[in-house]
Amino acid sequence: MAEAHQAVAFQFTVTPEGIDLRLSHQALSEIYLSGVRSWKKRIIRIKNSVITGVYPASPSSWLFVVIAILATMYTRSDPSMGIIAKIQEHLPLGHFCLVSAVLFSTMLWLLLIFTMRLCLKQLLSYHRWMFEQHGKMSTTTKIWALVRIFSGRKPLLYSYQGSLPNLPVPAIKDTVKRYLESVRPLMNDGEYERMTKLATEFESSLGNRLQWYLKLKALWASNYVSDWWEEYVYLRGRSPIMVNSNYYGMDFLYVTPTPIQAARAGNSIHAFFLYRRKLNKEEIKPSRIPGTVIPLCAAQCERIFNTTRIPGEETDTVQHWKDSDYVAVYHKGRYFRLKVYQAGRLLSPREIEFQIQRILDDPAPPSKGEAKLGALTAADRVSWAEARVKYFSSGINKRSLDVIERAAFFVTLDDEEQGTMRDDQPASLDNYAKSLLHGKCYDRWFDKSFSVIYYKNGKSGINGEHSWADAPVVAHVWEYVLATDSFQLGYNEEGHCKGEVDASLPQPQKLNWEISPECEEQISRSLAVAQALADDVDFHVLSFRDFGKGQIKKCKVSPDAFIQMTLQLAYYRERGTFCLTYEASMTRLFREGRTETVRSCTNESSAFVRALENGEPADVCRRLFRGASEKHQQLYRMAMTGAGIDRHLFCLYVVSKYLGLESPFLKEVLAEPWRLSTSQTSIQQVELFDLANHPEYISCGGGFGPVADDGYGVSYNFIGENVINFHISCKHSCPSTDAHKFGDQIRKAVNDLLQLLSPNQKESNKTEESQPKVKKEQ
């Protein structure tokens, strides 16, 4: 129990001569410095709360208003129209006119702040500008451009939160109409007539009652969707979150900054804590719609670090702690507590590398039952909840589990090599994706807000838990870490982190466990469930380098709409039919907004695909393609501005369950499978990367598992102007899905669509100029 002794600041022994008190100066120093650090953070939070609370004004503007009022009074004018005199009458020190003037100035200042915030909120509620044609701005939109005046100069991360509008509740008739339009290409006449009848009955009867309750919630809550979405879609799900919910992000595709595992971890972990420091100080710039000053909600950023999903028998909970000065590390079946602060300072990258190397060199074997303990987080939630209560609610197991759950994040030092892109190993990226998604099913802690994996060859990746936030939030952190690792911190000539090492650093603390035979049996059962799920996942990463979004934009088409039409064409060619298609859009224009669904399979897209496959003239196909692309863009904008379909219907369904009412219409809508689930991973911080000179220094994107057992999950991202990456997933157990064959269909569809839109373009024009000047790793 050496760890317990080290944690004690003082010890005493009672003797006949009295009490022998022995103080540990090192421990007392740590306690003191920890307290200082905690108070510094409290002071920063208070300061930021004041700055955010008065935004878009500044605290110094109060002094300006006071001086202006006093100066006006000095000229024997009364700017308060008698209010200062009234205040003076009611003060105990009535003869002090200065106090009355300051109070009036403060009230006037607060009124001005309230007015400015109200104006900003109204301006941010205006979204018609998104629907106007490029280059044609209405007079209303020109006036709306005044938002720049009210947006302030140097906003903190959360400065806009109080000014963001609430998510509006769409009208029942509009949602039902859009829903029926979305399912028309998926149903025959009889099915569509039946669904229309159900929808009409719902709209005219139960729908209005449910809508009333939903509007009541919208008036009371900041967001009428997000809390129910988190609880019922994520936290109440009882199936494994590995593969089914968690997602991953990849490292650089073409380069590895260093081949030394410990060094890569040293720089990267240091960069994560630099980001957390900026996050705590709210120094991170608020995310905005690209090319505009329109801010996005930052509420999800609050739980990036020090957060864990706690299993429960009926529902899970998300637990967030204010601070944590360490990370939990897994290596070859053992868990460690690695402190990254020493004497109140953040360890340098070289010192973290030194500590990581100590873990790698530690010869201690795992405790009995420890090696595959993480499998509990990979299987169904009920089994994990029961095991947690039975085996981890007291004693040494609880203390060790608390260390993992309270850690800033989780780190896996993987003993495999992954992530290299080689011609002689075409499946290398596929294996890399599967490793990041599920690993060995026991060497990740899937409940942590995110886990970082460092491979033996220096490659890395990230696995994110989905309930607390959506992928763009984790991607924002990951971009910062990759850029800081490579462009700011860097490595020396030998590939090690830069800097010196304090040799007096304490050893990383190995966690101890007492795993009973019954608990080991439960771990084995959980591993069997998780392994079967992982083995069933079929994955293919397609790096398409014939051309990229640069060539697509030359065709005057939205790159996202182009890819969505590509996926519709590829799916139709494989299955001979269309399917309900999910594309993730965000609603972070609104307070506490998360996501909305864009139903990409439309009447227009299906008409285009049929025309192309039936050999219609190219002019007809091009016209239909333009119409389908414009329709998709329209649906995307509507989803972003609160006029989507699925979140509204989902909340109506939740209300019906609360009231104990059955709706055949809602029951069928919510039961429809998403056989094609898609998402674009956009680069948010382009300024961190030098894509012109170093196009190889960019993440390969990320992916997720299939949503339906007989469907595909497709994540895609554009690297610079010349590369498109697709992450395709499905299940081996479904005979009608194959990730590699679907990837081939996507490749063919992409080329066919570009040929359709650019018929005079020769193949030779799509090679050298469009390909990034990067070298594959050997």
Coordinates of all heavy atoms in Angstrom, one line a residue, residues 424-492:
D424 N 1.3 -2.0 -50.7 CA 1.4 -3.5 -50.5 C 0.5 -4.0 -49.4 O 0.4 -5.2 -49.1 CB 2.8 -3.9 -50.3 CG 3.4 -3.3 -49.0 OD1 2.9 -2.2 -48.6 OD2 4.4 -3.8 -48.4
Q425 N -0.2 -3.0 -48.7 CA -1.1 -3.4 -47.7 C -2.4 -2.6 -47.8 O -2.7 -1.6 -47.1 CB -0.5 -3.1 -46.3 CG 0.7 -4.0 -46.0 CD 1.3 -3.6 -44.6 OE1 0.8 -2.8 -43.9 NE2 2.4 -4.3 -44.3
P426 N -3.2 -2.9 -48.8 CA -4.4 -2.1 -49.2 C -5.4 -2.1 -48.0 O -6.3 -1.2 -48.0 CB -5.0 -2.9 -50.4 CG -4.5 -4.3 -50.3 CD -3.1 -4.1 -49.7
A427 N -5.4 -3.1 -47.1 CA -6.4 -3.1 -46.0 C -5.8 -2.4 -44.7 O -6.5 -2.4 -43.7 CB -6.7 -4.5 -45.6
S428 N -4.7 -1.7 -44.8 CA -4.1 -1.1 -43.6 C -5.0 0.0 -43.0 O -5.1 0.0 -41.8 CB -2.7 -0.5 -44.0 OG -2.8 0.5 -45.0
L429 N -5.6 0.8 -43.8 CA -6.5 1.8 -43.3 C -7.8 1.2 -42.7 O -8.3 1.7 -41.8 CB -6.8 2.9 -44.4 CG -5.7 3.8 -44.8 CD1 -6.2 4.8 -45.8 CD2 -5.1 4.5 -43.6
D430 N -8.2 0.1 -43.3 CA -9.4 -0.5 -42.8 C -9.2 -1.1 -41.4 O -10.0 -0.9 -40.5 CB -9.8 -1.7 -43.8 CG -10.1 -1.2 -45.2 OD1 -10.2 0.0 -45.4 OD2 -10.1 -2.1 -46.1
N431 N -8.0 -1.7 -41.2 CA -7.6 -2.2 -39.9 C -7.4 -1.1 -38.9 O -7.8 -1.3 -37.7 CB -6.4 -3.1 -40.0 CG -6.5 -4.3 -40.9 OD1 -7.6 -4.9 -41.0 ND2 -5.5 -4.8 -41.5
Y432 N -6.9 0.0 -39.4 CA -6.7 1.2 -38.5 C -8.0 1.7 -38.0 O -8.2 2.0 -36.8 CB -6.0 2.2 -39.4 CG -5.6 3.5 -38.7 CD1 -5.4 3.6 -37.3 CD2 -5.5 4.7 -39.4 CE1 -5.1 4.8 -36.7 CE2 -5.2 5.9 -38.9 CZ -5.0 6.0 -37.5 OH -4.7 7.2 -36.9
A433 N -9.0 1.8 -38.9 CA -10.3 2.2 -38.6 C -11.0 1.3 -37.5 O -11.5 1.8 -36.5 CB -11.2 2.4 -39.8
K434 N -10.9 0.0 -37.8 CA -11.5 -0.9 -36.8 C -10.8 -0.9 -35.5 O -11.5 -1.0 -34.4 CB -11.4 -2.4 -37.4 CG -12.5 -2.7 -38.4 CD -12.4 -4.1 -39.0 CE -12.6 -5.1 -37.9 NZ -14.0 -5.2 -37.4
S435 N -9.5 -0.7 -35.5 CA -8.8 -0.6 -34.2 C -9.2 0.6 -33.4 O -9.4 0.5 -32.2 CB -7.3 -0.5 -34.5 OG -6.5 -0.3 -33.3
L436 N -9.4 1.7 -34.1 CA -9.9 2.9 -33.4 C -11.3 2.8 -32.9 O -11.7 3.3 -31.9 CB -9.7 4.2 -34.3 CG -8.3 4.6 -34.6 CD1 -8.3 5.8 -35.7 CD2 -7.6 5.1 -33.4
L437 N -12.1 2.1 -33.7 CA -13.5 2.0 -33.3 C -13.7 1.1 -32.1 O -14.6 1.4 -31.2 CB -14.3 1.5 -34.5 CG -15.9 1.5 -34.3 CD1 -16.4 2.9 -34.1 CD2 -16.5 0.8 -35.6
H438 N -13.0 -0.1 -32.1 CA -13.3 -1.0 -31.0 C -12.0 -1.6 -30.4 O -12.1 -2.3 -29.4 CB -14.2 -2.1 -31.5 CG -13.8 -2.8 -32.7 ND1 -12.7 -3.7 -32.7 CD2 -14.3 -2.9 -34.0 CE1 -12.6 -4.2 -33.9 NE2 -13.5 -3.7 -34.7
G439 N -10.9 -1.5 -31.1 CA -9.6 -2.1 -30.5 C -9.8 -3.6 -30.3 O -10.4 -4.3 -31.1
K440 N -9.3 -4.1 -29.1 CA -9.4 -5.5 -28.8 C -10.7 -5.7 -27.9 O -10.9 -6.8 -27.3 CB -8.2 -5.9 -28.0 CG -6.9 -5.9 -28.8 CD -5.7 -6.4 -27.9 CE -4.4 -6.4 -28.7 NZ -3.9 -5.0 -28.8
C441 N -11.5 -4.6 -27.8 CA -12.7 -4.7 -27.0 C -12.5 -4.5 -25.5 O -13.5 -4.4 -24.8 CB -13.6 -5.9 -27.3 SG -14.0 -6.1 -29.0
Y442 N -11.3 -4.6 -25.1 CA -11.0 -4.4 -23.6 C -9.9 -3.4 -23.4 O -9.6 -3.1 -22.2 CB -10.6 -5.8 -23.0 CG -9.5 -6.5 -23.6 CD1 -8.2 -6.1 -23.3 CD2 -9.6 -7.5 -24.5 CE1 -7.1 -6.8 -23.9 CE2 -8.6 -8.2 -25.1 CZ -7.3 -7.8 -24.8 OH -6.2 -8.4 -25.3
D443 N -9.2 -2.9 -24.4 CA -8.1 -2.0 -24.2 C -8.5 -0.5 -24.4 O -7.6 0.3 -24.6 CB -6.9 -2.4 -25.0 CG -7.3 -2.5 -26.5 OD1 -8.5 -2.4 -26.8 OD2 -6.4 -2.6 -27.4
R444 N -9.7 -0.2 -24.4 CA -10.2 1.1 -24.4 C -11.2 1.3 -23.2 O -11.7 0.3 -22.7 CB -11.0 1.5 -25.7 CG -10.3 1.0 -27.0 CD -9.2 1.8 -27.4 NE -8.7 1.5 -28.7 CZ -7.6 0.8 -29.0 NH1 -6.9 0.3 -27.9 NH2 -7.2 0.5 -30.2
W445 N -11.4 2.5 -22.7 CA -12.5 2.7 -21.7 C -13.6 3.5 -22.4 O -13.5 4.7 -22.4 CB -11.9 3.4 -20.5 CG -12.8 3.2 -19.3 CD1 -13.8 4.1 -18.9 CD2 -12.7 2.2 -18.4 NE1 -14.4 3.6 -17.7 CE2 -13.7 2.4 -17.4 CE3 -12.0 1.0 -18.2 CZ2 -14.0 1.5 -16.3 CZ3 -12.2 0.1 -17.2 CH2 -13.2 0.4 -16.3
F446 N -14.6 2.8 -23.0 CA -15.5 3.4 -23.9 C -16.4 4.4 -23.2 O -17.1 5.2 -23.8 CB -16.3 2.3 -24.6 CG -15.5 1.5 -25.5 CD1 -15.1 0.2 -25.1 CD2 -15.1 1.9 -26.7 CE1 -14.3 -0.6 -25.9 CE2 -14.3 1.2 -27.6 CZ -13.9 -0.1 -27.2
D447 N -16.5 4.4 -21.8 CA -17.3 5.4 -21.1 C -16.7 6.8 -21.0 O -17.5 7.7 -20.7 CB -17.6 4.8 -19.7 CG -18.5 3.7 -19.7 OD1 -19.1 3.3 -20.7 OD2 -18.7 3.0 -18.6
K448 N -15.4 6.9 -21.1 CA -14.8 8.2 -21.0 C -15.2 9.1 -22.2 O -15.5 8.7 -23.3 CB -13.3 8.1 -21.0 CG -12.7 7.6 -19.8 CD -13.0 8.4 -18.5 CE -12.3 9.8 -18.6 NZ -12.6 10.6 -17.4
S449 N -15.3 10.4 -21.9 CA -15.7 11.4 -22.9 C -14.9 11.2 -24.2 O -15.5 11.3 -25.3 CB -15.6 12.8 -22.4 OG -14.2 13.1 -21.9
F450 N -13.6 10.9 -24.1 CA -12.8 10.5 -25.2 C -11.6 9.8 -24.7 O -11.1 10.0 -23.6 CB -12.4 11.7 -26.1 CG -11.5 12.7 -25.5 CD1 -10.1 12.5 -25.6 CD2 -12.0 13.8 -24.8 CE1 -9.2 13.4 -25.0 CE2 -11.1 14.7 -24.2 CZ -9.7 14.5 -24.3
S451 N -11.1 8.9 -25.5 CA -9.9 8.1 -25.3 C -9.0 8.3 -26.4 O -9.4 8.4 -27.6 CB -10.2 6.6 -25.2 OG -11.2 6.3 -24.1
V452 N -7.7 8.5 -26.1 CA -6.7 8.7 -27.1 C -5.8 7.4 -27.2 O -5.4 6.9 -26.2 CB -5.8 9.9 -26.8 CG1 -4.9 10.3 -28.0 CG2 -6.6 11.1 -26.4
I453 N -5.6 7.0 -28.4 CA -4.8 5.7 -28.6 C -3.5 6.1 -29.3 O -3.5 6.8 -30.3 CB -5.6 4.8 -29.5 CG1 -6.9 4.4 -28.9 CG2 -4.8 3.5 -29.8 CD1 -8.1 5.2 -29.3
Y454 N -2.4 5.6 -28.7 CA -1.0 5.8 -29.3 C -0.5 4.5 -29.7 O -0.3 3.6 -28.8 CB -0.1 6.5 -28.3 CG -0.6 7.9 -27.9 CD1 -1.3 8.1 -26.7 CD2 -0.5 9.0 -28.8 CE1 -1.8 9.3 -26.3 CE2 -1.0 10.2 -28.4 CZ -1.6 10.4 -27.2 OH -2.1 11.6 -26.8
Y455 N -0.1 4.3 -30.9 CA 0.3 3.0 -31.4 C 1.9 2.9 -31.3 O 2.6 3.9 -31.2 CB -0.1 2.8 -32.9 CG -1.6 2.6 -33.0 CD1 -2.4 3.7 -33.4 CD2 -2.2 1.4 -32.7 CE1 -3.8 3.6 -33.5 CE2 -3.6 1.3 -32.7 CZ -4.4 2.3 -33.1 OH -5.8 2.2 -33.2
K456 N 2.3 1.7 -31.5 CA 3.8 1.4 -31.3 C 4.6 2.2 -32.3 O 5.8 2.5 -32.0 CB 4.0 -0.1 -31.5 CG 5.3 -0.6 -31.0 CD 5.4 -2.1 -31.1 CE 6.7 -2.6 -30.6 NZ 6.8 -4.1 -30.7
N457 N 4.1 2.4 -33.5 CA 4.8 3.1 -34.6 C 4.7 4.6 -34.6 O 5.1 5.3 -35.5 CB 4.4 2.6 -35.9 CG 2.9 2.7 -36.2 OD1 2.2 2.9 -35.3 ND2 2.6 2.7 -37.5
G458 N 4.1 5.2 -33.5 CA 3.9 6.6 -33.4 C 2.6 7.2 -33.9 O 2.4 8.4 -33.8
K459 N 1.8 6.4 -34.6 CA 0.5 6.8 -35.0 C -0.4 7.0 -33.8 O -0.2 6.4 -32.8 CB -0.1 5.9 -36.0 CG 0.5 6.0 -37.4 CD 0.1 7.3 -38.1 CE 0.5 7.3 -39.6 NZ 0.1 8.6 -40.2
S460 N -1.5 7.8 -34.0 CA -2.4 8.0 -32.9 C -3.8 8.1 -33.5 O -4.1 8.0 -34.7 CB -2.1 9.3 -32.2 OG -2.3 10.4 -33.0
G461 N -4.8 8.2 -32.6 CA -6.2 8.3 -33.0 C -7.0 8.6 -31.8 O -6.5 8.6 -30.6
I462 N -8.3 8.8 -32.0 CA -9.2 9.2 -30.9 C -10.5 8.5 -31.0 O -11.0 8.3 -32.1 CB -9.4 10.7 -30.8 CG1 -10.0 11.2 -29.5 CG2 -10.2 11.2 -32.0 CD1 -9.9 12.7 -29.3
N463 N -11.1 8.1 -29.8 CA -12.4 7.4 -29.8 C -13.3 8.2 -28.9 O -12.9 8.5 -27.7 CB -12.2 6.0 -29.3 CG -13.6 5.2 -29.2 OD1 -14.4 5.5 -28.4 ND2 -13.7 4.3 -30.1
G464 N -14.4 8.7 -29.4 CA -15.3 9.6 -28.6 C -16.6 8.9 -28.2 O -17.2 8.1 -28.9
E465 N -17.0 9.2 -26.9 CA -18.3 8.8 -26.5 C -19.3 9.8 -26.9 O -19.1 11.0 -26.8 CB -18.3 8.6 -24.9 CG -19.4 7.8 -24.4 CD -20.7 8.5 -24.2 OE1 -20.7 9.7 -23.7 OE2 -21.7 8.0 -24.7
H466 N -20.5 9.4 -27.3 CA -21.4 10.3 -28.1 C -22.5 11.0 -27.3 O -23.0 12.0 -27.7 CB -22.1 9.5 -29.2 CG -22.4 10.2 -30.4 ND1 -22.8 11.6 -30.4 CD2 -22.4 9.9 -31.7 CE1 -22.9 12.0 -31.7 NE2 -22.7 11.0 -32.5
S467 N -22.8 10.6 -26.0 CA -23.9 11.1 -25.4 C -23.7 12.6 -25.0 O -24.6 13.4 -25.0 CB -24.2 10.3 -24.1 OG -23.2 10.3 -23.2
W468 N -22.5 12.9 -24.5 CA -22.3 14.3 -23.9 C -22.1 15.4 -25.0 O -22.3 16.6 -24.7 CB -21.1 14.3 -23.0 CG -19.8 13.9 -23.8 CD1 -19.3 12.7 -24.0 CD2 -18.8 14.8 -24.3 NE1 -18.1 12.7 -24.7 CE2 -17.8 14.1 -24.9 CE3 -18.8 16.2 -24.4 CZ2 -16.7 14.6 -25.6 CZ3 -17.7 16.8 -25.0 CH2 -16.7 16.0 -25.6
A469 N -21.7 15.0 -26.2 CA -21.5 16.0 -27.3 C -21.4 15.3 -28.6 O -21.3 14.1 -28.7 CB -20.2 16.8 -27.0
D470 N -21.5 16.1 -29.7 CA -21.4 15.5 -31.0 C -19.9 15.6 -31.6 O -19.1 16.3 -31.0 CB -22.3 16.3 -31.9 CG -23.8 16.2 -31.4 OD1 -24.2 15.0 -31.2 OD2 -24.4 17.2 -31.2
A471 N -19.7 14.9 -32.6 CA -18.4 14.7 -33.2 C -17.6 16.0 -33.5 O -16.4 16.1 -33.2 CB -18.4 13.9 -34.4
P472 N -18.3 17.1 -34.0 CA -17.5 18.3 -34.2 C -16.8 18.9 -33.0 O -15.8 19.6 -33.2 CB -18.6 19.3 -34.8 CG -19.6 18.4 -35.4 CD -19.6 17.2 -34.5
V473 N -17.3 18.7 -31.8 CA -16.7 19.2 -30.6 C -15.4 18.5 -30.4 O -14.4 19.1 -30.1 CB -17.7 19.1 -29.4 CG1 -17.0 19.6 -28.1 CG2 -19.0 19.9 -29.7
V474 N -15.4 17.2 -30.4 CA -14.2 16.4 -30.3 C -13.2 16.7 -31.4 O -12.0 16.8 -31.2 CB -14.5 14.9 -30.2 CG1 -13.2 14.1 -30.1 CG2 -15.3 14.6 -28.9
A475 N -13.8 16.8 -32.6 CA -12.9 17.1 -33.8 C -12.2 18.5 -33.6 O -11.0 18.6 -34.0 CB -13.7 17.1 -35.0
H476 N -12.8 19.4 -33.0 CA -12.2 20.7 -32.7 C -10.9 20.6 -31.8 O -9.9 21.1 -32.1 CB -13.2 21.7 -32.1 CG -12.8 23.1 -32.1 ND1 -11.9 23.6 -31.1 CD2 -13.1 24.1 -32.9 CE1 -11.8 24.9 -31.3 NE2 -12.4 25.3 -32.4
V477 N -11.1 19.8 -30.8 CA -10.0 19.5 -29.9 C -8.9 18.7 -30.6 O -7.7 19.1 -30.5 CB -10.4 18.6 -28.7 CG1 -9.3 18.5 -27.7 CG2 -11.6 19.2 -28.0
W478 N -9.3 17.7 -31.4 CA -8.3 16.9 -32.1 C -7.5 17.7 -33.1 O -6.3 17.5 -33.3 CB -9.1 15.8 -32.8 CG -8.2 14.6 -33.4 CD1 -8.3 14.2 -34.6 CD2 -7.2 13.9 -32.7 NE1 -7.4 13.1 -34.8 CE2 -6.7 12.9 -33.6 CE3 -6.7 13.9 -31.4 CZ2 -5.7 12.0 -33.3 CZ3 -5.7 13.0 -31.1 CH2 -5.2 12.1 -32.0
E479 N -8.1 18.6 -33.8 CA -7.4 19.5 -34.8 C -6.4 20.3 -34.1 O -5.2 20.4 -34.5 CB -8.4 20.4 -35.5 CG -9.3 19.7 -36.5 CD -10.3 20.6 -37.1 OE1 -10.3 21.9 -36.8 OE2 -11.2 20.2 -37.9
Y480 N -6.8 20.9 -32.9 CA -5.8 21.7 -32.2 C -4.6 20.9 -31.7 O -3.5 21.3 -31.8 CB -6.5 22.3 -31.0 CG -5.6 23.1 -30.0 CD1 -5.4 24.4 -30.3 CD2 -5.0 22.5 -29.0 CE1 -4.5 25.2 -29.4 CE2 -4.1 23.2 -28.1 CZ -3.9 24.5 -28.4 OH -3.1 25.2 -27.5
V481 N -4.9 19.7 -31.2 CA -3.8 18.8 -30.7 C -2.9 18.4 -31.9 O -1.6 18.5 -31.7 CB -4.4 17.6 -30.1 CG1 -3.3 16.5 -29.8 CG2 -5.1 18.0 -28.8
L482 N -3.4 18.0 -33.0 CA -2.6 17.6 -34.2 C -1.7 18.8 -34.6 O -0.5 18.6 -34.9 CB -3.4 17.1 -35.3 CG -4.1 15.8 -35.1 CD1 -5.0 15.4 -36.3 CD2 -3.1 14.6 -34.9
A483 N -2.3 20.0 -34.7 CA -1.5 21.1 -35.2 C -0.5 21.5 -34.2 O 0.7 21.9 -34.5 CB -2.5 22.3 -35.5
T484 N -0.8 21.5 -32.9 CA 0.1 21.9 -31.8 C 1.3 21.0 -31.8 O 2.4 21.3 -31.6 CB -0.6 22.0 -30.5 OG1 -1.7 23.0 -30.6 CG2 0.3 22.5 -29.4
D485 N 0.9 19.7 -31.8 CA 1.9 18.6 -31.8 C 3.0 18.8 -32.9 O 4.2 18.8 -32.6 CB 1.2 17.3 -31.9 CG 2.2 16.1 -32.1 OD1 3.4 16.2 -31.8 OD2 1.7 15.0 -32.5
S486 N 2.5 19.0 -34.1 CA 3.4 19.0 -35.3 C 4.1 20.4 -35.5 O 5.2 20.5 -35.9 CB 2.7 18.6 -36.5 OG 2.2 17.3 -36.3
F487 N 3.3 21.5 -35.4 CA 3.8 22.8 -35.9 C 4.3 23.7 -34.7 O 5.0 24.6 -35.0 CB 2.6 23.5 -36.6 CG 2.2 22.8 -37.8 CD1 0.9 22.3 -37.9 CD2 3.1 22.7 -38.9 CE1 0.5 21.7 -39.1 CE2 2.7 22.1 -40.1 CZ 1.4 21.5 -40.2
Q488 N 3.9 23.4 -33.5 CA 4.4 24.3 -32.4 C 5.4 23.6 -31.5 O 6.4 24.1 -31.2 CB 3.2 24.8 -31.6 CG 2.2 25.7 -32.4 CD 1.1 26.2 -31.5 OE1 1.3 26.4 -30.3 NE2 0.0 26.5 -32.1
L489 N 5.0 22.4 -31.0 CA 5.9 21.7 -30.1 C 7.1 21.0 -30.8 O 8.2 21.2 -30.5 CB 5.1 20.7 -29.3 CG 4.0 21.2 -28.4 CD1 3.2 20.1 -27.8 CD2 4.5 22.2 -27.4
G490 N 6.8 20.2 -31.8 CA 7.8 19.6 -32.6 C 8.6 18.6 -31.9 O 8.4 18.3 -30.7
Y491 N 9.7 18.0 -32.5 CA 10.5 17.0 -32.0 C 12.0 17.3 -32.4 O 12.2 18.1 -33.3 CB 10.1 15.6 -32.6 CG 8.7 15.2 -32.3 CD1 7.7 15.6 -33.1 CD2 8.4 14.5 -31.1 CE1 6.4 15.3 -32.9 CE2 7.1 14.2 -30.9 CZ 6.1 14.5 -31.7 OH 4.8 14.2 -31.5
N492 N 12.9 16.7 -31.6 CA 14.3 16.9 -31.9 C 14.7 16.0 -33.0 O 13.9 15.2 -33.6 CB 15.2 16.8 -30.7 CG 15.1 15.4 -30.1 OD1 14.8 14.4 -30.7 ND2 15.4 15.3 -28.8

